Amino acid sequence: MNRQPTRVMILGASGSIGGTALTALRKYREAFTIVGLSCHTNAEQVLMWADEFKVPNICITGNANCDISGVQPRIYSGTDGLRAMILEVECDVILNGISGSAGMVPSFWALESGRHLALANKESVVMGGPLLFEAARDSGASIIPVDSEHSTIDALIAAHGKESISSVIITASGGPFMSFTTEQMKEVRPADALKHPTWSMGRKISIDSATLANKGLEVIEACYLFNIDPDTVEVVIHPQSIVHSMVRLINGAVYAQMSPPDMSLPIMEAINISTFPLRNVVRPLDFSELNLSFSAWDETRFPMLAYAYQSIKTGGSYPIAFNRANEIAVNLFLEHAISFPAISDIVQHALQADFSHGPSHFEEILVIDRIISEQVEQTISRFIR
Ligand code: NDP
Ligand code: MG
């Protein structure tokens, strides 16, 4: 069959998701063409990708780590440049692999431009909530989840029908401190927390995985993405990260999706909007190597997941507050300014304020996020060591 290649733009191309996407795309050059890449600082990396894939447009939102004068691709700069690249460059699907809350506004721009949005940046969903899906409906664009759990829940819901599902089950590796006591967690350093046992990822999501805040963000993400009640989202610890999610049917059966812990699969599934037959994206599982285990999560040692449930159940702007307070705390921990347990202390403290009012339009999300940020910053000194 003679198909036009799908035109892909990758935001956050210098990061873990961006690199995994581009590495996977090497195998499918006839089906995809890369029309734009963005990075914040690591222009050197992105120029290498641009050279390899003959990418005509690049955006550098921050300060480039190398000389970019006289380079071949068209260069867009800064946040305005990113908006211009998203709106101007013809493309079919935008993969958003920017880390943290900086990814939210570009998600709205992508949807505004009517492009399909392959969304790795879970913070966009947590902050944008229903307004993000409204933006998609307004422009006719679709939001396709890249997070491995949500990518597979999406497929399981499509296979079984939402009406026959009683709950979705998200698996969590548990991170590097699954067996640590509360006392041991006080001594954890950023380098320890960055060593994830099964996934290789960026710094922020690695810390979030160690506190289980990542699972918290994913519970909120699932509620908004699939329009389901938090009480129907279960989390189970599964250290091998082979089962990515499951659905529990009303008849009592449970269906699971299994594949190696490799983001290539959910990324390729999300950007493959023309349903090109993708073969061998990841290696086949060898069952003689597998020994799978499951257990319940411990709220006392990992309170962040409980705070996330509390935020989405209370609604309003609590999910935005959970996300912002966590991001501030993670940055402080990475700078060695606070202890590991102080991350959850900061979030717990932040959630005590009144955030019952939710945003009614896009600009209001930014205003509320800024107010939350100021409130958290004002109280931060008591947690600094
Ligand atoms: P990384 O830290 O590896 O990469 C982040 C990317 O975002 C880099 O390209 C970075 O640019 C860019 N960036 C950072 N700050 C800004 C900013 N202010 N404005 C614009 N761009 C910025 O992160 P990951 O790839 O690990 O994660 C990306 C997203 O995907 C996160 O939301 C994460 O939760 C989600 N995700 C990641 C998974 C993974 O396996 N990594 C799995 C599931 C979800 P530069 O490096 O040039 O400064
Ligand atoms: Mg995930």
Side-chain angles (χ1 to χ4, degrees):
M1 201 188 305
N2 200 5
R3 303 173 199 242
Q4 289 296 320
T6 299
R7 296 164 300 179
V8 185
M9 184 182 291
I10 302 179
L11 312 184
S14 50
S16 163
I17 288 288
T20 305
L22 286 151
T23 305
L25 281 163
R26 279 189 180 129
K27 278 203 264 182
Y28 308 101
R29 284 182 191 258
E30 74 281 25
F32 299 90
T33 172
I34 322 287
V35 294
L37 298 173
S38 92
C39 68
H40 194 52
T41 52
N42 198 348
E44 198 175 354
Q45 175 65 69
V46 158
L47 285 171
M48 278 161 62
W49 288 125
D51 187 47
E52 178 181 341
F53 284 89
K54 305 286 169 267
V55 183
N57 302 285
I58 277 185
C59 179
I60 304 158
T61 44
N63 294 321
N65 67 349
C66 67
D67 182 11
I68 51 166
S69 49
V71 297
Q72 194 75 43
R74 170 165 184 194
I75 302 281
Y76 291 83
S77 306
T79 319
D80 290 345
L82 187 61
R83 182 167 191 271
M85 185 170 84
I86 291 170
L87 297 182
E88 281 172 22
V89 174
E90 292 278 325
C91 85
D92 303 305
V93 58
I94 297 182
L95 169 63
N96 185 351
I98 293 174
S99 59
S101 53
M104 184 198 69
V105 174
S107 285
F108 274 91
W109 291 333
L111 294 172
E112 187 190 324
S113 73
R115 323 283 197 230
H116 295 294
L117 177 61
L119 191 52
N121 180 264
K122 62 194 83 185
E123 293 85 352
S124 294
V125 182
V126 172
M127 295 173 76
L131 292 173
L132 190 76
F133 297 89
E134 217 174 281
R137 272 193 303 277
D138 287 350
S139 71
S142 51
I143 299 174
I144 314 151
V146 169
D147 219 345
S148 55
E149 299 76 3
H150 305 73
S151 163
T152 53
I153 292 170
D154 205 24
L156 288 166
I157 291 177
H160 296 279
K162 203 172 167 187
E163 62 296 339
S164 49
I165 294 172
S166 59
S167 66
V168 302
I169 307 171
I170 296 178
T171 55
S173 72
F177 310 131
M178 227 340 81
S179 59
F180 277 39
T181 62
T182 313
E183 278 308 303
Q184 285 173 310
M185 288 208 212
K186 291 182 186 159
E187 306 307 322
V188 158
R189 296 169 56 82
D192 310 318
L194 288 170
K195 276 187 224 134
H196 196 275
T198 46
W199 296 97
S200 162
M201 309 182 287
R203 286 159 66 82
K204 197 244 167 192
I205 185 174
S206 295
I207 304 301
D208 286 350
S209 296
T211 59
L212 288 200
N214 182 49
K215 236 17 77 175
L217 294 169
E218 290 183 358
V219 167
I220 301 172
E221 187 185 6
C223 293
Y224 286 140
L225 263 171
F226 306 117
N227 198 15
I228 53 178
D229 191 274
D231 287 331
T232 65
V233 183
E234 303 177 47
V235 172
V236 63
I237 302 295
H238 166 50
Q240 299 81 20
S241 305
I242 297 290
V243 174
H244 299 291
S245 69
M246 296 176 265
V247 289
R248 201 186 283 280
L249 302 196
I250 49 176
N251 68 10
V254 171
Y255 287 83
Q257 188 276 357
M258 296 195 243
S259 54
D262 180 341
M263 287 303 293
S264 308
L265 189 56
I267 291 171
M268 290 307 302
E269 286 295 331
I271 64 174
N272 188 23
I273 54 166
S274 69
T275 60
F276 174 82
L278 294 169
R279 291 190 214 291
N280 303 321
V281 181
V282 289
R283 64 179 168 80
L285 285 176
D286 177 351
F287 284 89
S288 67
E289 289 174 356
L290 295 182
N291 189 4
L292 306 183
S293 57
F294 302 89
S295 59
W297 61 280
D298 174 1
E299 185 169 336
T300 316
R301 288 180 305 129
F302 296 97
M304 290 292 266
L305 184 48
Y307 301 154
Y309 269 110
Q310 183 191 318
S311 302
I312 185 68
K313 283 181 182 177
T314 321
S317 296
Y318 281 97
I320 304 177
F322 173 82
N323 178 69
R324 175 52 67 190
N326 176 55
E327 194 160 313
I328 291 172
V330 167
N331 285 333
L332 288 169
F333 173 67
L334 284 169
E335 291 160 9
H336 300 262
I338 60 167
S339 70
F340 184 73
I343 300 176
S344 53
D345 294 341
I346 288 172
V347 173
Q348 183 195 31
H349 190 264
L351 293 177
Q352 280 163 15
D354 180 8
F355 298 118
S356 49
H357 171 76
S360 53
H361 52 87
F362 165 67
E363 283 77 17
E364 207 182 348
I365 303 173
L366 301 176
V367 173
I368 290 173
D369 186 48
R370 199 171 53 245
I371 292 169
I372 295 166
S373 193
E374 284 163 7
Q375 278 180 238
V376 175
E377 297 282 1
Q378 275 164 18
T379 63
I380 222 73
S381 57
R382 74 182 71 178
F383 302 99
I384 304 282
R385 52 180 171 195

